[in-house]
Amino acid sequence: MKTYWWLISLIIIGCNRQPEGIQYGHDACAHCRMIIADEKFGSELITQKGKIYKFDSIECLAAYLGQIPDNEIHSMWITDFKNPGKWIRTDEAQFLQSTNIPSPMGMFLSGYADVNDARSMQTQFDGDVLDWQQVKVRVESHHTNK
């Protein structure tokens, strides 16, 4: 019976992978190697094996995707621009690309927990509200055109 509960606990822990805290001013971005400094733009990728990659921007996370096969990715997370420290899955987040909100790597991307926050920021700062698929396309196009 103890073995049964131990296995159940291990499965639950293994399936419930969550982002870990970024040590701002200390941790380095897995893509560009810069020190992650701004908590409004921190991002993470968690693999199926539980390895966590940390990024200093949404654009670095999206650009890094080509280096890890899709079937090895467990989840991807960003911090909420309006509530730094709150993690949001990329597939549930909304994004704003606005030249009036600079991001660490220059693609002007910020992320939000819901579409109302993104639309509110769009009204204030202009730009385009995007979903995660659109963000990936824009980042890939940006890197292709360099």
Side-chain angles (χ1 to χ4, degrees), residues 101-112:
I101 303 175
S103 60
M105 297 310 291
M107 283 196 65
F108 307 99
L109 290 166
S110 53
Y112 303 90

Side-chain angles (χ1 to χ4, degrees), residues 20-133:
E20 65 181 28
I22 294 174
Q23 293 183 12
Y24 292 96
H26 177 74
D27 288 338
C29 176
H31 181 66
C32 72
R33 304 292 179 208
M34 292 180 62
I35 297 297
I36 304 171
D38 193 335
E39 63 184 340
K40 292 179 181 173
F41 301 99
S43 306
E44 290 187 0
L45 181 152
I46 303 174
T47 67
Q48 295 291 351
K49 293 182 178 177
K51 182 171 174 77
I52 297 177
Y53 294 90
K54 300 176 181 180
F55 304 93
D56 66 346
S57 67
I58 295 164
E59 50 265 44
C60 278
L61 167 62
Y64 196 77
L65 293 178
Q67 298 185 36
I68 295 184
D70 289 347
N71 64 351
E72 291 183 19
I73 297 172
H74 175 272
S75 57
M76 294 174 283
W77 302 79
I78 63 163
T79 55
D80 185 357
F81 185 84
K82 294 187 92 174
N83 299 296
K86 178 181 176 184
W87 291 102
I88 313 161
R89 289 181 65 110
T90 56
D91 54 352
E92 297 171 352
Q94 296 292 310
F95 301 87
L96 178 65
Q97 188 172 31
S98 170
T99 56
N100 297 312
I101 303 175
S103 60
M105 297 310 291
M107 283 196 65
F108 307 99
L109 290 166
S110 53
Y112 303 90
D114 70 43
V115 71
N116 292 329
D117 286 342
R119 295 268 182 232
S120 171
M121 293 296 283
Q122 180 187 35
T123 300
Q124 191 174 355
F125 293 99
D126 292 327
D128 298 324
V129 174
L130 309 167
D131 62 23
W132 179 237
Q133 295 304 318

